[in-house]
C-alpha cells in the first residue's frame, strides 16, 4: 500500500475534473501539487462523447443575444427548478470558457470572417451553441489533456478506482483507490478534493452513456453521509439510435433534422408548435413515448423496441460532412445506414442525471445537517448538483457547466490548500483507522468464494429501471421499483468476485461499480416516488401537471443512522417567477 | 521478444540493401578498369553475403503476413460457452480469444461460443462472454461508439476498434479471432500497457504553445484563425490515442525507442496550427533518429487508423519541413 500526499486531489478526469486541474495549477502559479485520479485512461472519460456543443453568449451585440435571454431559456427549460442565481453565474462565465478552450487549441467551427460560429439547440431561443464538428467534447478533452502534459505539478493517475471517500468531522481526509494495473492499494491524502466523476445514467440499460458512467463519486459521497440533491430527475435524450442506444446529437435537429412517425408526419407540431423538434428534451421525449403508445411508432424486429424516425435526408451531404460527420460515421458503421439517403431509427434513452452531490453556488459540498459546507470538498460537473439544470437540462449547457464549475472549484481548492496547514494528530489517526477498515472490507470482498453473481444483480436492476423509471412513471410502478431495488440492494453484500487475479481485474471493478449503481438506482426510486407532480424529466401519469404550490423545492436525500432520510430545500428565485411552459 | 538486433536488420533491409547493391555495382565497375580485381571480388562477396543474411534474418523471425515477432501462443483445448441460441434473431459465433498471461508471458488461446445478433459488435460479443461465461476475461472499453479509444485490439489479424467492428460481419466461417495489440507491452488478456505510449505522446510537447502563457488563461479575445487555416491541422487532430497505429508500425515493433506515428502526427497537428508559437523548437524535438528519421514510410499506421488520421503523410511533411529549415537556415514561421 502506498500513501500519497497532495495539495489538491481531483477525482474524475472529464471536462470538469481536467478543468479543475489546469485552473488549480494556474491559480497556484504552478505551486500546488495536484493529483488527477481516473478509473479509465484519463483522456477517455465520458466527456469525449459529448457531441453537439457548448452554450454561451459569445457575440451579444451581433445576434442580439443577451445573457438574460440565455439565463431565461435555461430556467424555463429546467421547468423552473433551477437555482436562478446559479444560472446567472453560468451564463455570465460561459463566454469566457469558449475563449479559454479556443486558447487551448479547440478547433471551434468558424464563419468566413474567422468568428466562432454557433448552431441552434433545443430550448435555446437563438443559436448560441458553439461547436467543433459534432465531436465538441472530444476536442475539449484532448485540448485539456494535452495542456496538462505541459504542467509539471499535475500528476495523472490512470486506472485507479476509488472505493472510499474519507471524511472526519466535516473535513476532507483522503481517498482510497485500487490501482487496476497491479491491484495494489493507493491512498491519497490531501488538503482539498474535487469530486468530478460524472453521472450515473448506467442505472438504465438503454442509455447513450459510456459503460463508465456509474456515478462512483456520488455513491461515495452518499456512503460518507453527504446529501444528494434532485436525484429523481434523470434526463432521457430523445434521439438515441436503436438498438444500441448510441447518441445522435441534438445538433442533428439543430441543423434542421425532422422527427417523423410511421406515417411520415412531423408529430412535434402537436406538442411544441412554435419550435417543433427544438423543444427541450423532456418535452420531445414525452412526445415520442406518447406517439409510440398511440401506435404511431415502428417496431424494430430484432430488439423488440419501438421507435420513430430521425430524418436528415433533406440536409444534404455537405452539411452532414461539415457539421455532423460523426453522426454519419456512426450510422454507417453501426447500422449500415447513410443518413443522407435513409432515416435513422431513434427512441429516448437515459442520457444525463440532473441530480448529484448537494453543493452551494461555488460548488462546495454541503453538509447533511444544513449547517454549511464540508471543509476542503467540492463537486463539479455532472457529479455535483448546483443546481443549474433543475428538472431538465438544456442541450449544450452541460459542457458550459463542467467548464465553469471546473474552473471555480479548481481556484477555490488551490486557495484552500494554500491556506490550510497540515491536519492535527487526531485527523491522522482517523485517516489510518479508515484506511485499515477499507482494506479489510476489500479483502473480505476478494476472499468471498460463494455468493451472488454481480452481473445478474445488474440485469435485475435494468429490468426494474427500464420498466418503472423510464420517461413516464406512475405511483404504483415507482413504489414497486423501490421495493425491488431495496431487495437487490440487500443482496449487494453477498456479491462474489470470481476473478481472483491482481492484475487488471475488471471483474472486481464491475462488482464495485454495480454496488454503486444499485444503491443509486434505489435512491432515484426513493426520491421519485415521493414527488407527486410532473416537472421536467419527472413525468408522473397520476399527476400530469406541475405543482408549484407544493413541489417548487429541491429534494435532498442522505444516509442517516435510521437509513435513507429525505428532506427538501427551497429553490432560489431571482428574476423570473415560474409560469407555465409553452413552446 | 523485441530488440535492437532486429532494428539493425530492418535498417539493412529497408535502407541498407539498396545502398549495398549500389556499392557493389561501383566495386564491379572499378574492377573492370583497374588492377584491383581480387580486392573488388572480395568486397563484392562480403557485401552480398551481409545483405542476404540480414534479409534472411528478418524474414525468418516474422510470421507470414505480419511485421512482428509473435509471442508464443498455446491453445487451450475445448470450448466454454453457450450451447444454444435462446433468443430469436441471434446467431452463435465462436470467439477465439488470445489472452495474455503475465506469469508465463505467453498468449493462451481460448475458444468461446456466444450468441450475438446482427447489430452487435466484437466488443458486445466479448462483453457477453464476460457477463455470462467467463468473468475473468479482461479488456478495455468505455464509450462503445468509437471516440474514447479504449478498445483497440487485433481482430482477424488486423488492428481495429472492437466497438466499431460488427461481429457477424467479421466472422469467417462462424469464427472471430481476437488478440491483444502486441505492438505494446501487455498487462493481461487483451489489455496493453499504455505508459510508454503516453510518455511518447508527451515527449513532442503536444499543446498549444504561446509566448505569453498568462494571456492563455485570461481570455479576452479569440485568436485569429479562419477555416482554411483550421483545415490544415484538423485531420490530424482526430487522433483518439487508441494505439492501433503503434501496433501496426513495423518500426515500433522492432525498435521500442522510436516515438512512433501517434506522437509524430500530434507534433504535426500543433506545428500546423497557426495559433502555436513554438516555431523551430517543435522540429528540433523530433529531428532525431528516434523521431521522424525513424520512420521508413511503410504506411501501415495510416492504414490502421480508425479515424482517418494519416500519420505517414504527416511524418513525411515534417521531414521535408526539417530539410527545408536546415538547408535554408530559417524556419518558415
Amino acid at each position: 500500500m502506498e500513501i500519497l500526499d497532495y495539495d489538491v486531489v481531483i477525482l474524475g478526469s472529464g471536462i470538469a475534473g481536467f478543468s479543475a486541474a489546469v485552473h488549480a495549477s494556474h491559480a497556484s502559479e504552478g505551486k500546488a501539487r495536484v493529483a488527477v485520479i481516473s478509473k479509465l485512461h484519463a483522456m477517455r472519460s465520458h466527456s469525449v462523447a459529448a457531441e453537439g456543443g457548448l452554450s454561451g453568449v459569445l457575440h451579444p451585440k451581433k445576434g442580439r443575444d443577451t445573457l438574460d435571454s440565455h439565463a431565461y431559456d435555461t430556467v424555463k427549460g429546467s421547468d423552473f427548478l433551477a437555482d436562478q442565481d446559479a444560472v446567472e453565474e453560468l451564463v455570465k462565465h460561459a463566454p469566457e470558457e469558449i475563449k479559454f478552450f479556443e486558447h487551448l487549441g479547440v478547433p471551434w467551427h468558424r464563419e468566413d470572417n474567422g468568428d466562432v460560429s454557433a448552431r441552434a439547440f433545443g430550448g435555446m431561443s437563438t443559436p448560441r451553441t458553439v461547436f467543433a464538428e459534432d465531436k465538441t467534447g472530444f476536442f475539449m478533452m484532448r485540448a485539456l489533456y494535452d495542456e496538462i502534459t505541459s504542467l509539471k505539478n499535475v500528476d495523472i493517475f490512470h486506472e485507479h478506482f476509488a472505493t472510499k471517500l474519507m471524511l472526519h468531522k466535516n473535513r476532507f481526509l483522503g481517498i482510497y483507490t485500487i490501482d487496476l494495473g497491479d491491484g495494489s492499494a493507493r491512498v491519497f491524502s490531501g488538503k482539498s478534493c474535487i469530486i468530478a466523476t460524472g453521472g450515473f445514467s448506467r442505472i438504465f440499460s438503454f442509455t447513450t452513456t459510456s459503460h463508465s458512467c456509474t456515478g462512483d463519486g456520488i455513491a461515495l459521497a452518499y456512503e460518507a453521509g453527504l446529501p444528494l440533491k434532485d436525484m429523481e430527475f434523470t434526463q432521457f435524450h430523445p434521439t438515441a439510435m436503436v438498438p444500441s442506444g448510441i447518441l445522435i446529437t441534438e445538433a442533428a435537429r439543430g441543423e434542421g433534422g425532422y422527427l417523423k412517425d410511421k406515417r411520415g408526419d412531423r408529430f412535434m407540431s402537436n406538442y411544441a408548435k412554435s419550435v417543433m423538434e427544438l423543444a427541450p428534451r423532456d418535452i420531445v421525449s414525452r412526445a415520442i413515448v406518447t406517439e409510440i403508445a398511440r401506435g404511431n411508432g415502428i417496431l424494430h424486429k430484432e430488439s423488440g423496441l419501438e421507435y420513430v424516425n430521425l430524418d436528415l435526408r433533406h440536409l444534404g451531404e455537405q452539411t452532414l460532412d461539415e457539421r455532423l460527420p460523426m453522426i454519419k460515421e456512426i450510422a454507417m458503421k453501426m447500422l449500415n445506414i447513410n443518413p443522407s439517403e435513409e432515416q435513422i431509427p431513434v427512441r429516448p434513452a437515459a442520457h444525463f442525471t440532473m441530480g448529484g452531490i448537494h453543493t452551494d453556488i461555488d460548488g462546495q459540498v454541503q453538509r447533511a445537517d444544513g449547517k454549511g459546507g464540508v471543509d476542503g470538498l467540492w463537486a463539479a460537473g455532472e457529479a455535483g448538483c448546483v443546481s443549474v439544470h433543475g428538472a431538465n437540462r438544456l442541450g449544450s449547457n452541460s459542457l458550459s457547466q463542467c467548464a465553469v464549475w471546473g474552473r471555480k472549484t479548481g481556484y477555490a481548492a488551490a486557495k484552500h490548500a494554500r491556506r490550510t496547514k497540515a491536519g492535527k494528530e487526531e485527523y491522522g489517526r482517523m485517516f489510518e483507522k479508515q484506511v485499515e477498515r477499507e482494506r479489510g472490507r476489500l479483502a473480505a470482498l476478494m476472499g468471498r468464494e460463494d455468493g451472488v453473481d454481480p452481473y445478474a444483480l445488474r440485469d435485475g436492476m435494468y429490468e426494474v429501471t427500464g420498466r418503472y423509471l423510464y420517461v413516464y412513471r406512475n405511483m404504483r410502478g415507482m413504489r414497486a421499483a423501490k421495493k425491488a431495488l431495496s431487495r437487490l440492494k440487500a443482496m449487494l453484500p453477498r456479491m462474489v468476485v470470481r476473478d481472483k487475479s491482481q492484475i487488471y481485474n475488471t471483474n472486481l471493478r464491475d462488482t464495485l461499480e454495480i454496488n454503486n449503481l444499485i444503491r443509486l438506482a434505489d435512491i432515484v426510486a426513493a426520491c421519485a416516488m415521493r414527488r407527486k407532480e410532473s416537472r421536467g424529466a419527472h413525468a408522473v401519469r397520476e399527476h400530469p401537471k406541475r405543482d408549484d404550490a407544493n413541489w417548487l423545492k429541491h429534494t435532498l436525500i442522505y444516509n442517516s443512522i435510521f437509513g435513507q432520510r429525505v428532506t427538501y430545500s427551497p429553490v432560489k428565485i431571482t428574476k423570473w417567477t415560474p409560469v407555465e411552459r409553452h413552446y | 521478444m523485441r530488440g535492437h538486433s532486429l532494428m539493425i536488420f530492418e535498417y539493412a533491409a529497408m535502407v541498407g540493401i539498396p545502398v549495398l547493391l549500389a556499392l557493389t555495382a561501383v566495386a564491379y565497375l572499378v574492377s573492370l578498369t583497374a588492377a584491383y580485381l581480387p580486392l573488388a571480388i572480395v568486397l563484392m562477396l562480403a557485401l552480398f553475403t551481409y545483405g542476404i543474411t540480414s534479409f534472411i534474418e528478418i524474414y525468418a523471425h516474422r510470421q507470414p503476413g505480419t511485421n512482428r515477432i509473435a509471442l508464443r501462443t498455446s491453445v487451450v483445448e475445448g470450448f466454454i460457452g453457450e450451447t444454444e441460441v435462446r433468443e430469436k434473431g441471434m446467431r452463435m459465433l465462436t470467439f477465439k480469444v488470445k489472452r495474455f498471461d503475465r506469469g508465463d508471458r505467453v498468449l493462451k488461446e481460448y475458444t468461446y461460443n456466444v450468441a450475438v445478433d446482427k447489430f452487435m459488435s466484437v466488443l458486445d460479443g466479448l462483453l457477453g462472454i464476460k457477463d455470462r461465461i467467463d468473468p475473468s476475461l479482461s479488456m478495455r472499453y468505455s464509450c462503445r461508439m468509437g471516440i474514447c479509444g479504449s478498445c483497440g485490439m487485433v481482430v482477424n489479424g488486423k488492428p481495429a476498434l472492437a466497438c466499431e467492428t460488427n461481429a457477424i460481419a467479421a466472422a469467417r466461417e462462424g469464427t472471430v479471432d481476437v488478440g491483444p495489440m502486441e505492438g505494446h507491452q501487455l498487462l493481461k488478456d487483451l489489455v496493453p500497457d499504455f505508459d510508454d505510449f503516453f510518455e511518447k505522446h508527451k515527449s513532442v510537447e503536444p499543446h498549444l504553445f504561446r509566448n505569453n502563457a498568462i494571456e492563455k488563461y485570461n481570455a479576452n479575445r479569440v485568436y485569429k484563425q479562419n477555416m482554411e487555416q483550421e483545415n490544415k491541422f484538423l485531420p490530424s487532430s482526430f487522433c483518439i490515442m487508441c494505439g492501433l497505429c503503434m501496433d501496426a508500425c513495423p518500426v515500433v515493433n522492432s525498435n521500442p525507442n522510436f516515438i512512433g506515428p501517434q506522437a509524430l502526427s500530434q507534433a504535426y497537428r500543433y506545428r500546423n496550427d497557426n495559433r502555436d508559437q513554438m516555431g523551430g523548437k517543435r522540429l528540433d524535438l523530433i529531428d532525431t533518429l528516434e523521431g521522424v528519421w525513424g520512420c521508413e514510410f511503410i504506411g501501415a499506421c495510416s492504414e490502421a487508423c480508425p479515424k482517418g488520421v494519416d500519420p505517414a503523410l504527416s511524418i513525411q511533411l515534417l521531414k521535408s519541413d526539417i530539410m527545408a529549415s536546415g538547408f535554408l537556415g530559417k524556419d518558415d514561421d
Side-chain angles (χ1 to χ4, degrees), chain A residues 137-425:
Chain A
F138 164 74
F139 283 118
M140 289 169 72
M141 280 294 289
R142 271 304 305 276
L144 283 166
Y145 175 73
D146 285 355
E147 179 69 11
I148 286 178
T149 61
S150 74
L151 304 174
K152 293 192 172 52
N153 58 321
V154 181
D155 295 335
I156 294 181
F157 292 86
H158 299 289
E159 305 195 315
H160 281 60
F161 192 90
T163 65
K164 178 141 182 87
L165 171 67
M166 296 182 281
L167 305 175
H168 180 57
K169 288 192 179 164
N170 295 308
R171 176 184 166 143
F172 168 74
L173 290 182
I175 286 172
Y176 190 103
T177 70
I178 301 170
D179 180 352
L180 289 174
D182 62 8
S184 65
R186 193 156 286 146
V187 189
F188 294 84
S189 78
K191 292 168 182 160
S192 311
C193 172
I194 301 163
I195 300 177
T197 49
F200 51 91
S201 295
R202 276 275 155 185
I203 61 169
F204 295 91
S205 66
F206 192 62
T207 172
T208 64
T209 58
S210 299
H211 287 280
S212 56
C213 291
T214 53
D216 306 308
I218 302 176
L220 293 188
Y222 182 78
E223 288 303 304
L226 299 172
L228 310 180
K229 195 199 287 175
D230 293 340
M231 292 293 282
E232 62 271 42
F233 298 103
T234 52
Q235 177 167 76
F236 296 91
H237 195 290
T239 58
M241 212 162 71
V242 173
S244 61
I246 290 174
L247 175 67
I248 302 294
T249 172
E250 189 163 310
R253 283 168 286 138
E255 299 292 348
Y258 299 147
L259 283 172
K260 290 180 173 173
D261 62 16
K262 76 172 174 196
R263 294 179 306 250
D265 291 341
R266 287 177 68 189
F267 57 86
M268 279 313 293
S269 59
N270 303 328
Y271 301 87
K273 211 167 177 58
S274 66
V275 290
M276 296 295 281
E277 281 84 359
L278 285 179
R281 289 173 180 171
D282 56 337
I283 293 176
V284 183
S285 284
R286 287 191 208 179
I288 293 175
V289 173
T290 307
E291 289 301 319
I292 288 174
R294 283 183 187 156
N296 295 332
I298 305 145
L299 181 70
H300 189 263
K301 282 191 202 86
E302 288 82 1
S303 63
L305 293 169
E306 286 186 273
Y307 64 89
V308 295
N309 281 319
L310 176 65
D311 191 352
L312 306 178
R313 292 173 297 184
H314 55 289
L315 299 184
E317 200 90 34
Q318 200 194 343
T319 305
L320 288 175
D321 288 340
E322 240 174 61
R323 296 163 86 101
L324 301 165
M326 182 154 84
I327 294 311
K328 187 174 165 184
E329 184 190 334
I330 287 173
M332 291 180 78
K333 279 187 180 164
M334 305 289 176
L335 290 185
N336 211 4
I337 281 178
N338 181 353
S340 61
E341 286 159 15
E342 285 171 83
Q343 306 184 89
I344 306 174
V346 293
R347 69 180 265 124
H351 179 64
F352 187 86
T353 44
M354 270 70 73
I357 304 168
H358 177 36
T359 74
D360 65 3
I361 191 167
D362 300 317
Q364 190 174 13
V365 175
Q366 299 297 295
R367 287 154 59 172
D369 56 15
K371 290 177 187 160
V374 178
D375 203 21
L377 189 62
W378 288 262
E382 198 179 344
C385 182
V386 176
S387 106
V388 289
H389 305 309
N392 173 57
R393 171 171 75 78
L394 290 190
S396 73
N397 268 353
S398 56
L399 293 188
S400 340
Q401 182 217 357
C402 287
V404 169
W405 269 273
R407 180 191 292 248
K408 262 178 186 298
T409 53
Y411 267 80
K415 199 170 147 192
H416 180 265
R418 195 169 59 236
R419 284 185 184 163
T420 310
K421 295 192 185 75
K424 280 179 273 172
E425 198 196 334

Side-chain angles (χ1 to χ4, degrees), chain A residues 1-16:
Chain A
M1 191 174 71
E2 191 180 9
I3 295 175
L4 299 170
D5 195 34
Y6 278 89
D7 291 319
V8 181
V9 179
I10 296 168
L11 189 58
S13 60
I15 289 173

Side-chain angles (χ1 to χ4, degrees), chain B residues 47-290:
Chain B
L47 291 170
F48 260 123
T49 321
Y50 176 65
I52 287 165
T53 47
S54 58
F55 195 80
I56 290 168
E57 278 283 349
I58 296 160
Y59 285 95
H61 283 83
R62 283 183 176 177
Q63 280 186 310
T66 73
N67 287 310
R68 68 171 66 90
I69 297 177
L71 288 171
R72 195 161 57 81
T73 305
S74 66
V75 178
V76 178
E77 293 296 327
F79 73 88
I80 15 181
E82 296 165 337
T83 48
E84 55 181 300
V85 181
R86 290 217 186 85
E87 282 172 63
K88 239 169 58 182
M90 302 278 260
R91 223 186 104 182
M92 191 65 78
L93 284 188
T94 301
F95 275 68
K96 287 198 167 159
V97 186
K98 286 200 187 78
R99 301 175 59 176
F100 179 70
D101 186 322
R102 205 183 197 183
D104 306 340
R105 300 204 65 78
V106 293
L107 293 171
K108 291 182 182 164
E109 188 181 274
Y110 288 75
T111 307
Y112 301 100
N113 280 4
V114 65
V116 297
D117 71 28
K118 69 174 184 179
F119 297 102
M120 284 183 178
S121 62
V122 169
L123 175 64
D124 291 326
L126 293 171
L127 285 171
I129 295 171
K130 187 167 179 57
D131 282 8
R132 301 193 296 273
I133 303 165
D134 184 351
S136 73
L137 177 65
S138 283
M139 60 271 174
R140 276 199 191 94
Y141 57 93
S142 181
C143 77
R144 55 88 165 90
M145 54 192 269
I147 193 73
C148 77
S150 300
C151 62
M153 49 188 81
V154 178
V155 181
N156 294 336
K158 278 196 177 150
L161 293 179
C163 71
E164 281 192 352
T165 310
N166 184 285
I168 289 178
R172 293 179 301 199
E173 291 168 4
T175 303
V176 185
D177 284 311
V178 183
M181 294 192 285
E182 293 173 53
H184 301 262
Q185 295 289 329
L186 299 176
L187 276 177
K188 181 192 177 188
D189 294 354
L190 300 166
V191 182
D193 187 342
F194 265 55
D195 289 357
D196 238 29
F197 178 84
F198 294 147
E199 278 308 310
K200 286 175 176 175
H201 175 71
K202 192 174 167 178
S203 75
V204 302
E205 302 208 11
H207 57 95
L208 208 63
F209 181 86
R210 298 292 292 185
N211 294 322
N212 183 348
I214 301 297
E215 162 221 73
K216 202 168 153 182
Y217 279 77
N218 300 300
N220 287 315
R221 60 185 182 87
V222 175
Y223 297 144
K224 283 203 162 45
Q225 186 165 70
N226 57 37
M227 275 317 271
E228 196 187 325
Q229 290 166 320
E230 194 173 306
N231 284 331
K232 275 191 180 171
F233 69 86
L234 198 60
S236 49
S237 68
F238 294 142
C239 170
I240 57 172
M241 300 181 73
C242 61
L244 292 176
C245 58
M246 302 286 274
D247 180 61
C249 175
V251 186
V252 173
N253 275 272
S254 55
N255 173 11
N257 294 327
F258 175 45
I259 65 169
Q262 190 275 337
L264 291 170
S265 75
Q266 296 315 290
Y268 179 86
R269 178 252 176 271
Y270 282 103
R271 171 158 175 81
N272 285 279
D273 192 327
N274 66 304
R275 299 169 292 185
D276 187 71
Q277 295 177 329
M278 197 181 280
K281 199 196 153 205
R282 234 180 234 300
L283 293 181
D284 295 344
L285 286 171
I286 51 168
D287 183 10
T288 59
L289 277 179
E290 262 80 47

